[in-house]
Amino acid sequence: MMTSDLEYVLLPEDKILQRVSEIASDIVRDYQETNPVLIGILKGGIIFLSDLTRHISIPHSYDIVGASSYGSRTSSSGQVIITKDVEISLRNRDVLLIEDIYDSGATLKVVKDLLLVHSPRSLEICALLWKEKKNRAYDIPIKYIGFTIPDVFVVGYGLDYNEKYRNLRCIGVLKKEFYS
Ligand code: IMP
Ligand code: MG
């Protein structure tokens, strides 16, 4: 079992899904009649996007952008590469960017700037996890936050270490021996 690689579970599956449905209710309340577009970020944000979209009961679309920053390390490189642009038109649409985790903010900064080029009517951000950090490279306003977590490296529910553990249903901290 991959969960045996964890030192501890920070967020169990039921708690994550409960929070996802609460965020979905907030989005339904705020985006009535606006047919918003959710934008997920590869690869970590896909699990969150897929649960969130199915909890949102009003008409909406979703699309995907690709952004890569981490490589295989556990601290942000600060260098973000866009690997895939959106495919549907965002012009005059209400756009909600869906991110797995707000860490240094480098990814959100670059993706946000990319989306603004597509002239949306509005652009807001939803992050499942918000890491508590003293010094953050980029301060970006986040409209919906799932959980505030300590400044630790976590895996599961889309988040990886060396491309592993994305399929864990919970979010947890790896045992030290698994970080090489
Ligand atoms: P940022 O650009 O520093 O904000 O980092 C954002 C990206 O880095 C996220 O989309 C994740 O893919 C990855 N990341 C940041 N913190 C963690 C973590 O604790 N575990 C796994 N991936 C992380
Ligand atoms: Mg990663």
Side-chain angles (χ1 to χ4, degrees):
M1 282 294 287
M2 295 176 81
T3 42
S4 60
D5 292 4
L6 295 179
E7 181 79 47
Y8 59 91
V9 173
L10 194 65
L11 299 166
E13 181 183 18
D14 60 342
K15 217 176 149 187
I16 298 170
L17 293 179
Q18 171 60 34
R19 190 71 190 112
V20 169
S21 91
E22 288 167 9
I23 296 171
S25 302
D26 291 347
I27 292 170
V28 168
R29 179 198 62 209
D30 296 345
Y31 288 89
Q32 292 284 349
E33 322 275 321
T34 69
N35 190 16
V37 188
L38 272 50
I39 304 285
I41 305 181
L42 291 174
K43 291 177 269 194
I46 294 315
I47 306 277
F48 179 35
L49 173 68
S50 74
D51 279 339
L52 193 60
T53 186
R54 288 176 295 172
H55 278 88
I56 296 174
S57 52
I58 53 170
H60 67 283
S61 314
Y62 70 73
D63 202 348
I64 308 289
V65 296
S68 189
S69 78
Y70 250 64
S72 59
R73 288 166 298 150
T74 56
S75 64
S76 187
S77 65
Q79 287 219 328
V80 179
I81 304 158
I82 295 290
T83 55
K84 186 199 167 301
D85 200 349
V86 286
E87 287 166 31
I88 60 179
S89 172
L90 302 183
R91 176 167 292 275
N92 292 328
R93 300 290 300 271
D94 291 297
V95 173
L96 187 55
L97 179 55
I98 309 298
E99 172 64 311
D100 49 4
I101 189 164
Y102 175 37
D103 185 15
S104 74
T107 303
L108 283 175
K109 169 86 177 82
V110 169
V111 174
K112 198 179 163 185
D113 288 349
L114 168 76
L115 296 182
L116 286 173
V117 172
H118 292 275
S119 308
R121 179 164 65 188
S122 68
L123 176 57
E124 300 286 355
I125 299 172
C126 169
L128 180 67
L129 306 176
W130 193 89
K131 262 193 201 179
E132 272 181 328
K133 289 178 107 80
K134 283 200 204 84
N135 301 303
R136 203 185 296 279
Y138 301 92
D139 271 311
I140 295 167
I142 314 277
K143 183 164 181 166
Y144 308 97
I145 294 172
F147 302 94
T148 300
I149 65 165
D151 192 8
V152 290
F153 190 82
V154 291
V155 296
Y157 199 72
L159 293 158
D160 72 305
Y161 175 66
N162 270 346
E163 298 301 327
K164 218 175 149 189
Y165 306 109
R166 293 192 196 276
N167 58 322
L168 284 182
R169 304 178 82 99
C170 63
I171 291 171
V173 175
L174 277 182
K175 287 177 182 161
K176 289 207 176 52
E177 66 229 60
F178 292 100
Y179 299 115
S180 40

